[in-house]
Amino acid sequence: MKKLVVIGGIILFAACQQQENKLTQTIIDPNDTSEMALLMRDMFFQLEEIKQKILLGEDIAQEQLNFELIHTQTPTDESFLKEGLVPMSTAYANSIEAFNKQPSSKNFSSIVNNCMSCHTQLCPGPLERIDNLIIEK
Ligand code: HEC
């Protein structure tokens, strides 16, 4: 039993590593990218833009984020749809809502923390990339 869990973990990790390595390749051919992966890229780029504005001291009071719920998207691999995805996806959606109510650097960081905690548990491959969204104090 224990062995199975370990093997499952390795397969999942490999799938997520592959995602990261495939990044440049899939930009050339976006058709083999899952709905969920496309959503992730969109979120990454939109958040990166807001991060830049925060760093430049621009006004972000009018920024609003609107994403599909992560757990309703089709993933590359069904193993992503395991227990824990829905609560983490919901927590993430709540952090987006809090940001929309009050767009601030603090609420931005709370979104990024939610990206990190789901990825730490489900999909560690892109963590290094998500690190770029952290605002250094
Ligand atoms: C509820 C869990 C969860 C949250 C929250 C989450 N992710 Fe993901 N992310 C995933 C899963 C699962 C995948 C793999 C999706 C697939 O391959 O279909 C993924 C894939 C990715 C990828 C790789 C996409 C590709 O090109 O293949 C990036 C980059 C990414 N996420 C960034 C982010 C960022 C940035 C955030 C926060 C704005 C975030 N993620 C929030 C679960 C999550």
Side-chain angles (χ1 to χ4, degrees), residues 16 19-20 23 33-34 36-37 40-41 43-44 47 70 74-77 80 85 88-89 92 111 114-115 118-119 122-123 126 129-130 133:
C16 277
Q19 282 310 304
E20 185 66 336
L23 256 182
T33 305
S34 74
M36 193 185 284
M40 295 291 161
R41 289 180 203 178
M43 296 191 308
F44 182 86
L47 290 179
I70 293 170
T74 314
T76 309
D77 190 305
F80 293 137
L85 179 75
M88 285 190 287
S89 163
Y92 170 77
I111 295 176
N114 276 286
C115 306
C118 187
H119 274 268
L122 282 189
C123 185
R129 191 145 181 251
I130 298 173
L133 295 174

Side-chain angles (χ1 to χ4, degrees), residues 12-113:
L12 184 63
F13 185 73
C16 277
Q17 285 293 27
Q18 206 181 359
Q19 282 310 304
E20 185 66 336
N21 296 339
K22 260 173 45 185
L23 256 182
T24 31
Q25 182 194 334
T26 36
I27 283 166
I28 299 163
D29 178 17
N31 293 331
D32 69 346
T33 305
S34 74
E35 212 180 21
M36 193 185 284
L38 282 176
L39 169 69
M40 295 291 161
R41 289 180 203 178
D42 185 36
M43 296 191 308
F44 182 86
F45 288 124
Q46 290 197 40
L47 290 179
E48 203 175 32
E49 266 179 39
I50 294 180
K51 181 193 167 183
Q52 289 311 321
K53 288 188 180 170
I54 293 172
L55 291 183
L56 293 169
E58 287 177 19
D59 182 13
I60 57 160
Q62 304 305 320
E63 296 293 338
Q64 292 290 293
L65 294 166
N66 189 5
F67 300 122
E68 297 291 334
L69 283 173
I70 293 170
H71 61 271
T72 63
Q73 306 296 298
T74 314
T76 309
D77 190 305
E78 279 189 13
S79 64
F80 293 137
L81 300 176
K82 43 181 207 180
E83 231 180 298
L85 179 75
V86 175
M88 285 190 287
S89 163
T90 308
Y92 170 77
N94 289 339
S95 72
I96 297 279
E97 208 177 301
F99 177 87
N100 284 342
K101 276 195 195 131
Q102 195 188 353
S104 64
S105 172
K106 184 170 159 275
N107 284 339
F108 177 87
S109 295
S110 129
I111 295 176
V112 179
N113 284 338

